[in-house]
Amino acid sequence: NSDKVQINAKLTDASSNKQLWSESFEGNMSDLFSLQDKVTNRISGSLGPQMLIVAASESESEKRKTNPQASDLILRARALGLKGNDVANLEQTIDLYRQALKLEPNNLDAMSLLSFVLAALAPRSPEQDLRKSRSNESHALALKVKEIDPNNRRIYMSLALYDRENDNLLGARQNMETWLELNPNSRGISTYAYILLLNGEATKALEIVSKIQKNNTKFPSDTILGALGRLHLVLGQTDLAIEYSLKATQVNSKVPGYWVSLAVAYALKGESNQAAAAVAEVKKLNPNADGKSLNYLFKPLSASPPSYKEWYEKTYLPAYRKAGFIE
């Protein structure tokens, strides 16, 4: 049929010439864009983020002729970041990006990635001074990158996280929407979901995160699973909150926030033993954790709608206390 088009995609190991993967796609000539999306999603779902990040990094390094040692440090940091969202991993990635910037002070990749990791880690810092200094350093780096390259796709998440830290819900949402335009179908969508959550849009957030989860079933992300657990919790779907929070802890057991959501969900169900066990995991991971570092994703901002503030004060916090946490 002359209206039909077929695309054959193959992945071959260049060193051994061994074919690793192949697939054929068929569609109509009149809808090539839809077919292109189908191919892209299928390939990304099959290969996983690790290979795509390596390929992207290698091509970027070649294109920009950066310092090879700096490129290696950045690549190691990005690979490490894929291993989990726990504090130890984030601190190690920060160290690697700092090393890269010592070798190449104007490397935009290192600057933008360091900015993001600092922004992600800041609210989880045990001391408020450290939290503020990390957030401010992240913001300064993001603004520096933005001045050089306003279309840098990473910095808008850093800017959004800075806005959230500074009680600017509108700014956070606007920066995340710019980020989303530059990063469609990203596994990093959970940050946008949490901004929507604070804006009282948990249902919309759940739809968006669920779509990303379906595209990445072969390579489950603890951040996506954790987001699904939290969103179901806010929506009153406690069993699903427990299911996804448990899955997040199975992928990465070192993130206290997943255990917090699990503990709160169990407390809401009246399952005190399970709640206590989850609280114990949090205390084991972070003995100095308090409400400021454990509840930052849920805590309403000034501009959050009254209905969300009421849920936080009358449903979440009582269950948080009932589970055994101290604010």
mmCIF file of all heavy atoms in Angstrom, residues 187-233:
data_model
loop_
_atom_site.group_PDB
_atom_site.id
_atom_site.type_symbol
_atom_site.label_atom_id
_atom_site.label_comp_id
_atom_site.label_asym_id
_atom_site.label_seq_id
_atom_site.Cartn_x
_atom_site.Cartn_y
_atom_site.Cartn_z
ATOM 1 N N ARG A 187 11.602 11.315 32.827
ATOM 2 C CA ARG A 187 11.372 10.626 34.092
ATOM 3 C C ARG A 187 11.486 11.596 35.264
ATOM 4 O O ARG A 187 11.109 11.279 36.368
ATOM 5 C CB ARG A 187 12.385 9.490 34.253
ATOM 6 C CG ARG A 187 12.100 8.294 33.354
ATOM 7 C CD ARG A 187 13.359 7.486 33.095
ATOM 8 N NE ARG A 187 13.909 6.878 34.291
ATOM 9 C CZ ARG A 187 13.790 5.580 34.602
ATOM 10 N NH1 ARG A 187 13.108 4.785 33.827
ATOM 11 N NH2 ARG A 187 14.351 5.103 35.682
ATOM 12 N N GLY A 188 12.014 12.785 35.020
ATOM 13 C CA GLY A 188 12.114 13.789 36.071
ATOM 14 C C GLY A 188 10.819 14.540 36.322
ATOM 15 O O GLY A 188 10.801 15.545 37.026
ATOM 16 N N ILE A 189 9.737 14.017 35.776
ATOM 17 C CA ILE A 189 8.440 14.690 35.858
ATOM 18 C C ILE A 189 7.914 14.784 37.286
ATOM 19 O O ILE A 189 7.029 15.587 37.582
ATOM 20 C CB ILE A 189 7.408 13.947 34.968
ATOM 21 C CG1 ILE A 189 6.195 14.815 34.631
ATOM 22 C CG2 ILE A 189 6.954 12.654 35.619
ATOM 23 C CD1 ILE A 189 6.478 15.893 33.654
ATOM 24 N N SER A 190 8.467 14.002 38.195
ATOM 25 C CA SER A 190 7.936 13.982 39.567
ATOM 26 C C SER A 190 8.026 15.353 40.228
ATOM 27 O O SER A 190 7.150 15.713 41.020
ATOM 28 C CB SER A 190 8.666 12.938 40.417
ATOM 29 O OG SER A 190 10.055 13.167 40.392
ATOM 30 N N THR A 191 9.060 16.134 39.904
ATOM 31 C CA THR A 191 9.182 17.472 40.501
ATOM 32 C C THR A 191 8.018 18.357 40.079
ATOM 33 O O THR A 191 7.452 19.096 40.890
ATOM 34 C CB THR A 191 10.519 18.122 40.101
ATOM 35 O OG1 THR A 191 11.582 17.280 40.542
ATOM 36 C CG2 THR A 191 10.667 19.497 40.739
ATOM 37 N N TYR A 192 7.644 18.273 38.805
ATOM 38 C CA TYR A 192 6.483 19.032 38.323
ATOM 39 C C TYR A 192 5.218 18.572 39.045
ATOM 40 O O TYR A 192 4.368 19.377 39.432
ATOM 41 C CB TYR A 192 6.343 18.845 36.813
ATOM 42 C CG TYR A 192 5.173 19.587 36.189
ATOM 43 C CD1 TYR A 192 4.980 20.954 36.420
ATOM 44 C CD2 TYR A 192 4.267 18.928 35.353
ATOM 45 C CE1 TYR A 192 3.926 21.638 35.842
ATOM 46 C CE2 TYR A 192 3.210 19.602 34.774
ATOM 47 C CZ TYR A 192 3.042 20.966 35.014
ATOM 48 O OH TYR A 192 1.980 21.635 34.448
ATOM 49 N N ALA A 193 5.130 17.258 39.262
ATOM 50 C CA ALA A 193 3.959 16.710 39.953
ATOM 51 C C ALA A 193 3.834 17.284 41.356
ATOM 52 O O ALA A 193 2.724 17.615 41.807
ATOM 53 C CB ALA A 193 4.059 15.188 40.013
ATOM 54 N N TYR A 194 4.960 17.439 42.056
ATOM 55 C CA TYR A 194 4.901 17.974 43.420
ATOM 56 C C TYR A 194 4.509 19.453 43.434
ATOM 57 O O TYR A 194 3.848 19.910 44.364
ATOM 58 C CB TYR A 194 6.241 17.776 44.131
ATOM 59 C CG TYR A 194 6.598 16.324 44.348
ATOM 60 C CD1 TYR A 194 7.876 15.845 44.075
ATOM 61 C CD2 TYR A 194 5.655 15.415 44.820
ATOM 62 C CE1 TYR A 194 8.204 14.508 44.268
ATOM 63 C CE2 TYR A 194 5.967 14.089 45.010
ATOM 64 C CZ TYR A 194 7.238 13.633 44.732
ATOM 65 O OH TYR A 194 7.555 12.305 44.921
ATOM 66 N N ILE A 195 4.900 20.189 42.397
ATOM 67 C CA ILE A 195 4.476 21.597 42.298
ATOM 68 C C ILE A 195 2.970 21.665 42.061
ATOM 69 O O ILE A 195 2.257 22.476 42.669
ATOM 70 C CB ILE A 195 5.245 22.325 41.179
ATOM 71 C CG1 ILE A 195 6.765 22.287 41.424
ATOM 72 C CG2 ILE A 195 4.758 23.761 41.022
ATOM 73 C CD1 ILE A 195 7.234 22.948 42.695
ATOM 74 N N LEU A 196 2.472 20.798 41.171
ATOM 75 C CA LEU A 196 1.025 20.733 40.931
ATOM 76 C C LEU A 196 0.289 20.349 42.213
ATOM 77 O O LEU A 196 -0.777 20.884 42.525
ATOM 78 C CB LEU A 196 0.712 19.719 39.830
ATOM 79 C CG LEU A 196 1.117 20.087 38.397
ATOM 80 C CD1 LEU A 196 0.812 18.923 37.451
ATOM 81 C CD2 LEU A 196 0.386 21.337 37.916
ATOM 82 N N LEU A 197 0.866 19.418 42.950
ATOM 83 C CA LEU A 197 0.277 18.963 44.211
ATOM 84 C C LEU A 197 0.072 20.141 45.161
ATOM 85 O O LEU A 197 -0.996 20.299 45.752
ATOM 86 C CB LEU A 197 1.200 17.918 44.835
ATOM 87 C CG LEU A 197 0.828 17.354 46.202
ATOM 88 C CD1 LEU A 197 -0.423 16.519 46.086
ATOM 89 C CD2 LEU A 197 1.970 16.527 46.757
ATOM 90 N N LEU A 198 1.105 20.962 45.296
ATOM 91 C CA LEU A 198 1.019 22.129 46.188
ATOM 92 C C LEU A 198 0.004 23.154 45.685
ATOM 93 O O LEU A 198 -0.454 24.002 46.440
ATOM 94 C CB LEU A 198 2.395 22.787 46.320
ATOM 95 C CG LEU A 198 3.485 21.934 46.981
ATOM 96 C CD1 LEU A 198 4.815 22.664 46.974
ATOM 97 C CD2 LEU A 198 3.087 21.554 48.401
ATOM 98 N N ASN A 199 -0.317 23.055 44.408
ATOM 99 C CA ASN A 199 -1.311 23.950 43.812
ATOM 100 C C ASN A 199 -2.712 23.339 43.838
ATOM 101 O O ASN A 199 -3.630 23.842 43.207
ATOM 102 C CB ASN A 199 -0.906 24.286 42.367
ATOM 103 C CG ASN A 199 -1.513 25.580 41.868
ATOM 104 O OD1 ASN A 199 -1.514 26.583 42.576
ATOM 105 N ND2 ASN A 199 -2.045 25.568 40.653
ATOM 106 N N GLY A 200 -2.845 22.209 44.546
ATOM 107 C CA GLY A 200 -4.152 21.565 44.659
ATOM 108 C C GLY A 200 -4.559 20.759 43.446
ATOM 109 O O GLY A 200 -5.742 20.484 43.245
ATOM 110 N N GLU A 201 -3.584 20.368 42.614
ATOM 111 C CA GLU A 201 -3.894 19.642 41.371
ATOM 112 C C GLU A 201 -3.321 18.225 41.392
ATOM 113 O O GLU A 201 -2.651 17.801 40.456
ATOM 114 C CB GLU A 201 -3.343 20.421 40.167
ATOM 115 C CG GLU A 201 -3.937 21.809 40.008
ATOM 116 C CD GLU A 201 -3.323 22.566 38.852
ATOM 117 O OE1 GLU A 201 -3.743 22.333 37.703
ATOM 118 O OE2 GLU A 201 -2.414 23.381 39.088
ATOM 119 N N ALA A 202 -3.626 17.502 42.447
ATOM 120 C CA ALA A 202 -3.081 16.147 42.592
ATOM 121 C C ALA A 202 -3.578 15.209 41.492
ATOM 122 O O ALA A 202 -2.830 14.349 41.023
ATOM 123 C CB ALA A 202 -3.454 15.583 43.959
ATOM 124 N N THR A 203 -4.820 15.370 41.068
ATOM 125 C CA THR A 203 -5.376 14.479 40.034
ATOM 126 C C THR A 203 -4.639 14.658 38.711
ATOM 127 O O THR A 203 -4.275 13.685 38.046
ATOM 128 C CB THR A 203 -6.882 14.745 39.838
ATOM 129 O OG1 THR A 203 -7.548 14.541 41.091
ATOM 130 C CG2 THR A 203 -7.479 13.808 38.808
ATOM 131 N N LYS A 204 -4.408 15.906 38.337
ATOM 132 C CA LYS A 204 -3.658 16.187 37.106
ATOM 133 C C LYS A 204 -2.239 15.636 37.220
ATOM 134 O O LYS A 204 -1.721 15.042 36.273
ATOM 135 C CB LYS A 204 -3.619 17.699 36.842
ATOM 136 C CG LYS A 204 -2.836 18.089 35.597
ATOM 137 C CD LYS A 204 -2.832 19.592 35.380
ATOM 138 C CE LYS A 204 -2.010 19.955 34.152
ATOM 139 N NZ LYS A 204 -1.959 21.423 33.919
ATOM 140 N N ALA A 205 -1.629 15.837 38.375
ATOM 141 C CA ALA A 205 -0.278 15.341 38.605
ATOM 142 C C ALA A 205 -0.214 13.823 38.456
ATOM 143 O O ALA A 205 0.705 13.282 37.845
ATOM 144 C CB ALA A 205 0.205 15.754 39.992
ATOM 145 N N LEU A 206 -1.215 13.144 39.004
ATOM 146 C CA LEU A 206 -1.247 11.681 38.937
ATOM 147 C C LEU A 206 -1.347 11.196 37.484
ATOM 148 O O LEU A 206 -0.674 10.242 37.095
ATOM 149 C CB LEU A 206 -2.430 11.142 39.749
ATOM 150 C CG LEU A 206 -2.565 9.622 39.809
ATOM 151 C CD1 LEU A 206 -1.341 8.983 40.455
ATOM 152 C CD2 LEU A 206 -3.824 9.232 40.583
ATOM 153 N N GLU A 207 -2.160 11.871 36.688
ATOM 154 C CA GLU A 207 -2.302 11.498 35.270
ATOM 155 C C GLU A 207 -0.968 11.607 34.539
ATOM 156 O O GLU A 207 -0.579 10.729 33.769
ATOM 157 C CB GLU A 207 -3.340 12.408 34.589
ATOM 158 C CG GLU A 207 -4.774 12.139 35.003
ATOM 159 C CD GLU A 207 -5.740 13.202 34.475
ATOM 160 O OE1 GLU A 207 -5.283 14.086 33.705
ATOM 161 O OE2 GLU A 207 -6.928 13.154 34.839
ATOM 162 N N ILE A 208 -0.241 12.692 34.797
ATOM 163 C CA ILE A 208 1.031 12.931 34.117
ATOM 164 C C ILE A 208 2.076 11.901 34.533
ATOM 165 O O ILE A 208 2.765 11.315 33.694
ATOM 166 C CB ILE A 208 1.536 14.368 34.425
ATOM 167 C CG1 ILE A 208 0.598 15.401 33.794
ATOM 168 C CG2 ILE A 208 2.956 14.575 33.922
ATOM 169 C CD1 ILE A 208 0.857 16.826 34.246
ATOM 170 N N VAL A 209 2.191 11.657 35.838
ATOM 171 C CA VAL A 209 3.204 10.717 36.332
ATOM 172 C C VAL A 209 2.877 9.283 35.904
ATOM 173 O O VAL A 209 3.776 8.514 35.550
ATOM 174 C CB VAL A 209 3.338 10.808 37.866
ATOM 175 C CG1 VAL A 209 4.351 9.791 38.380
ATOM 176 C CG2 VAL A 209 3.764 12.202 38.285
ATOM 177 N N SER A 210 1.599 8.937 35.901
ATOM 178 C CA SER A 210 1.194 7.587 35.481
ATOM 179 C C SER A 210 1.580 7.325 34.034
ATOM 180 O O SER A 210 2.003 6.216 33.675
ATOM 181 C CB SER A 210 -0.316 7.407 35.654
ATOM 182 O OG SER A 210 -0.674 7.508 37.012
ATOM 183 N N LYS A 211 1.462 8.338 33.195
ATOM 184 C CA LYS A 211 1.820 8.200 31.778
ATOM 185 C C LYS A 211 3.316 7.913 31.628
ATOM 186 O O LYS A 211 3.720 7.051 30.858
ATOM 187 C CB LYS A 211 1.456 9.488 31.027
ATOM 188 C CG LYS A 211 1.766 9.435 29.537
ATOM 189 C CD LYS A 211 1.429 10.755 28.869
ATOM 190 C CE LYS A 211 1.861 10.732 27.405
ATOM 191 N NZ LYS A 211 1.671 12.039 26.755
ATOM 192 N N ILE A 212 4.145 8.645 32.388
ATOM 193 C CA ILE A 212 5.593 8.418 32.336
ATOM 194 C C ILE A 212 5.934 7.022 32.860
ATOM 195 O O ILE A 212 6.775 6.316 32.308
ATOM 196 C CB ILE A 212 6.341 9.488 33.168
ATOM 197 C CG1 ILE A 212 6.086 10.880 32.593
ATOM 198 C CG2 ILE A 212 7.836 9.186 33.214
ATOM 199 C CD1 ILE A 212 6.607 11.110 31.199
ATOM 200 N N GLN A 213 5.260 6.605 33.912
ATOM 201 C CA GLN A 213 5.499 5.274 34.483
ATOM 202 C C GLN A 213 5.216 4.184 33.456
ATOM 203 O O GLN A 213 5.986 3.217 33.335
ATOM 204 C CB GLN A 213 4.619 5.082 35.730
ATOM 205 C CG GLN A 213 4.522 3.655 36.251
ATOM 206 C CD GLN A 213 5.834 3.137 36.831
ATOM 207 O OE1 GLN A 213 6.826 3.848 36.868
ATOM 208 N NE2 GLN A 213 5.833 1.898 37.261
ATOM 209 N N LYS A 214 4.150 4.325 32.688
ATOM 210 C CA LYS A 214 3.806 3.313 31.676
ATOM 211 C C LYS A 214 4.867 3.222 30.588
ATOM 212 O O LYS A 214 5.069 2.164 29.995
ATOM 213 C CB LYS A 214 2.448 3.650 31.060
ATOM 214 C CG LYS A 214 1.280 3.321 31.985
ATOM 215 C CD LYS A 214 -0.032 3.823 31.438
ATOM 216 C CE LYS A 214 -1.153 3.629 32.446
ATOM 217 N NZ LYS A 214 -2.408 4.305 32.027
ATOM 218 N N ASN A 215 5.567 4.340 30.317
ATOM 219 C CA ASN A 215 6.606 4.338 29.286
ATOM 220 C C ASN A 215 7.940 3.796 29.797
ATOM 221 O O ASN A 215 8.881 3.646 29.025
ATOM 222 C CB ASN A 215 6.825 5.761 28.747
ATOM 223 C CG ASN A 215 5.675 6.250 27.895
ATOM 224 O OD1 ASN A 215 4.911 5.450 27.366
ATOM 225 N ND2 ASN A 215 5.534 7.556 27.767
ATOM 226 N N ASN A 216 8.033 3.555 31.108
ATOM 227 C CA ASN A 216 9.315 3.136 31.685
ATOM 228 C C ASN A 216 9.176 1.908 32.578
ATOM 229 O O ASN A 216 9.877 1.782 33.578
ATOM 230 C CB ASN A 216 9.916 4.286 32.492
ATOM 231 C CG ASN A 216 10.371 5.436 31.624
ATOM 232 O OD1 ASN A 216 11.413 5.378 30.990
ATOM 233 N ND2 ASN A 216 9.574 6.485 31.569
ATOM 234 N N THR A 217 8.280 1.001 32.210
ATOM 235 C CA THR A 217 8.023 -0.153 33.079
ATOM 236 C C THR A 217 9.221 -1.087 33.192
ATOM 237 O O THR A 217 9.400 -1.754 34.209
ATOM 238 C CB THR A 217 6.811 -0.955 32.565
ATOM 239 O OG1 THR A 217 7.006 -1.234 31.178
ATOM 240 C CG2 THR A 217 5.523 -0.180 32.756
ATOM 241 N N LYS A 218 10.072 -1.144 32.157
ATOM 242 C CA LYS A 218 11.222 -2.051 32.212
ATOM 243 C C LYS A 218 12.320 -1.528 33.126
ATOM 244 O O LYS A 218 13.155 -2.286 33.597
ATOM 245 C CB LYS A 218 11.791 -2.268 30.798
ATOM 246 C CG LYS A 218 10.934 -3.175 29.927
ATOM 247 C CD LYS A 218 11.684 -3.594 28.691
ATOM 248 C CE LYS A 218 10.858 -4.566 27.863
ATOM 249 N NZ LYS A 218 11.595 -5.025 26.662
ATOM 250 N N PHE A 219 12.337 -0.209 33.329
ATOM 251 C CA PHE A 219 13.373 0.406 34.157
ATOM 252 C C PHE A 219 12.695 1.282 35.207
ATOM 253 O O PHE A 219 12.643 2.502 35.076
ATOM 254 C CB PHE A 219 14.333 1.227 33.291
ATOM 255 C CG PHE A 219 15.044 0.406 32.260
ATOM 256 C CD1 PHE A 219 14.512 0.247 30.997
ATOM 257 C CD2 PHE A 219 16.240 -0.232 32.564
ATOM 258 C CE1 PHE A 219 15.162 -0.526 30.039
ATOM 259 C CE2 PHE A 219 16.889 -1.002 31.619
ATOM 260 C CZ PHE A 219 16.360 -1.154 30.353
ATOM 261 N N PRO A 220 12.117 0.658 36.241
ATOM 262 C CA PRO A 220 11.343 1.434 37.221
ATOM 263 C C PRO A 220 12.202 2.473 37.934
ATOM 264 O O PRO A 220 13.332 2.189 38.336
ATOM 265 C CB PRO A 220 10.827 0.369 38.204
ATOM 266 C CG PRO A 220 11.730 -0.796 38.019
ATOM 267 C CD PRO A 220 12.181 -0.764 36.596
ATOM 268 N N SER A 221 11.677 3.668 38.047
ATOM 269 C CA SER A 221 12.374 4.763 38.719
ATOM 270 C C SER A 221 11.816 4.928 40.122
ATOM 271 O O SER A 221 10.600 5.035 40.307
ATOM 272 C CB SER A 221 12.159 6.051 37.905
ATOM 273 O OG SER A 221 12.362 7.192 38.699
ATOM 274 N N ASP A 222 12.694 4.951 41.122
ATOM 275 C CA ASP A 222 12.204 5.114 42.484
ATOM 276 C C ASP A 222 11.525 6.470 42.664
ATOM 277 O O ASP A 222 10.568 6.603 43.423
ATOM 278 C CB ASP A 222 13.319 4.919 43.509
ATOM 279 C CG ASP A 222 14.462 5.910 43.368
ATOM 280 O OD1 ASP A 222 15.055 5.969 42.283
ATOM 281 O OD2 ASP A 222 14.781 6.603 44.356
ATOM 282 N N THR A 223 11.999 7.506 41.931
ATOM 283 C CA THR A 223 11.384 8.830 42.066
ATOM 284 C C THR A 223 9.957 8.841 41.525
ATOM 285 O O THR A 223 9.069 9.460 42.111
ATOM 286 C CB THR A 223 12.217 9.905 41.349
ATOM 287 O OG1 THR A 223 12.444 9.515 40.001
ATOM 288 C CG2 THR A 223 13.551 10.104 42.032
ATOM 289 N N ILE A 224 9.732 8.130 40.417
ATOM 290 C CA ILE A 224 8.385 8.048 39.850
ATOM 291 C C ILE A 224 7.473 7.230 40.762
ATOM 292 O O ILE A 224 6.332 7.620 41.041
ATOM 293 C CB ILE A 224 8.423 7.428 38.433
ATOM 294 C CG1 ILE A 224 9.110 8.380 37.442
ATOM 295 C CG2 ILE A 224 7.025 7.083 37.945
ATOM 296 C CD1 ILE A 224 8.354 9.648 37.145
ATOM 297 N N LEU A 225 7.964 6.096 41.235
ATOM 298 C CA LEU A 225 7.160 5.258 42.132
ATOM 299 C C LEU A 225 6.849 6.006 43.430
ATOM 300 O O LEU A 225 5.723 5.949 43.939
ATOM 301 C CB LEU A 225 7.908 3.957 42.444
ATOM 302 C CG LEU A 225 8.099 3.007 41.258
ATOM 303 C CD1 LEU A 225 9.110 1.919 41.606
ATOM 304 C CD2 LEU A 225 6.765 2.385 40.839
ATOM 305 N N GLY A 226 7.846 6.734 43.947
ATOM 306 C CA GLY A 226 7.634 7.516 45.159
ATOM 307 C C GLY A 226 6.587 8.603 44.939
ATOM 308 O O GLY A 226 5.745 8.860 45.814
ATOM 309 N N ALA A 227 6.630 9.234 43.772
ATOM 310 C CA ALA A 227 5.638 10.272 43.449
ATOM 311 C C ALA A 227 4.238 9.685 43.373
ATOM 312 O O ALA A 227 3.268 10.271 43.880
ATOM 313 C CB ALA A 227 5.998 10.950 42.122
ATOM 314 N N LEU A 228 4.115 8.509 42.762
ATOM 315 C CA LEU A 228 2.801 7.857 42.679
ATOM 316 C C LEU A 228 2.281 7.539 44.082
ATOM 317 O O LEU A 228 1.092 7.722 44.367
ATOM 318 C CB LEU A 228 2.903 6.581 41.840
ATOM 319 C CG LEU A 228 3.100 6.792 40.333
ATOM 320 C CD1 LEU A 228 3.455 5.478 39.644
ATOM 321 C CD2 LEU A 228 1.852 7.394 39.692
ATOM 322 N N GLY A 229 3.165 7.087 44.960
ATOM 323 C CA GLY A 229 2.755 6.802 46.341
ATOM 324 C C GLY A 229 2.238 8.052 47.034
ATOM 325 O O GLY A 229 1.187 8.032 47.685
ATOM 326 N N ARG A 230 2.958 9.159 46.884
ATOM 327 C CA ARG A 230 2.551 10.400 47.542
ATOM 328 C C ARG A 230 1.245 10.951 46.965
ATOM 329 O O ARG A 230 0.388 11.452 47.696
ATOM 330 C CB ARG A 230 3.664 11.433 47.398
ATOM 331 C CG ARG A 230 4.908 11.103 48.228
ATOM 332 C CD ARG A 230 6.019 12.113 47.991
ATOM 333 N NE ARG A 230 7.161 11.867 48.863
ATOM 334 C CZ ARG A 230 8.386 11.585 48.421
ATOM 335 N NH1 ARG A 230 8.623 11.511 47.126
ATOM 336 N NH2 ARG A 230 9.371 11.385 49.276
ATOM 337 N N LEU A 231 1.099 10.873 45.653
ATOM 338 C CA LEU A 231 -0.108 11.417 45.015
ATOM 339 C C LEU A 231 -1.342 10.614 45.411
ATOM 340 O O LEU A 231 -2.399 11.186 45.691
ATOM 341 C CB LEU A 231 0.072 11.437 43.489
ATOM 342 C CG LEU A 231 1.125 12.442 42.987
ATOM 343 C CD1 LEU A 231 1.441 12.201 41.520
ATOM 344 C CD2 LEU A 231 0.659 13.876 43.205
ATOM 345 N N HIS A 232 -1.216 9.294 45.450
ATOM 346 C CA HIS A 232 -2.347 8.469 45.897
ATOM 347 C C HIS A 232 -2.683 8.758 47.361
ATOM 348 O O HIS A 232 -3.858 8.739 47.752
ATOM 349 C CB HIS A 232 -2.036 6.983 45.699
ATOM 350 C CG HIS A 232 -2.160 6.522 44.275
ATOM 351 N ND1 HIS A 232 -3.348 6.569 43.583
ATOM 352 C CD2 HIS A 232 -1.243 6.013 43.418
ATOM 353 C CE1 HIS A 232 -3.162 6.090 42.351
ATOM 354 N NE2 HIS A 232 -1.898 5.756 42.231
ATOM 355 N N LEU A 233 -1.661 9.057 48.153
ATOM 356 C CA LEU A 233 -1.878 9.391 49.556
ATOM 357 C C LEU A 233 -2.743 10.652 49.678
ATOM 358 O O LEU A 233 -3.718 10.683 50.435
ATOM 359 C CB LEU A 233 -0.530 9.604 50.252
ATOM 360 C CG LEU A 233 -0.563 9.864 51.757
ATOM 361 C CD1 LEU A 233 -1.052 8.626 52.507
ATOM 362 C CD2 LEU A 233 0.832 10.262 52.254
#
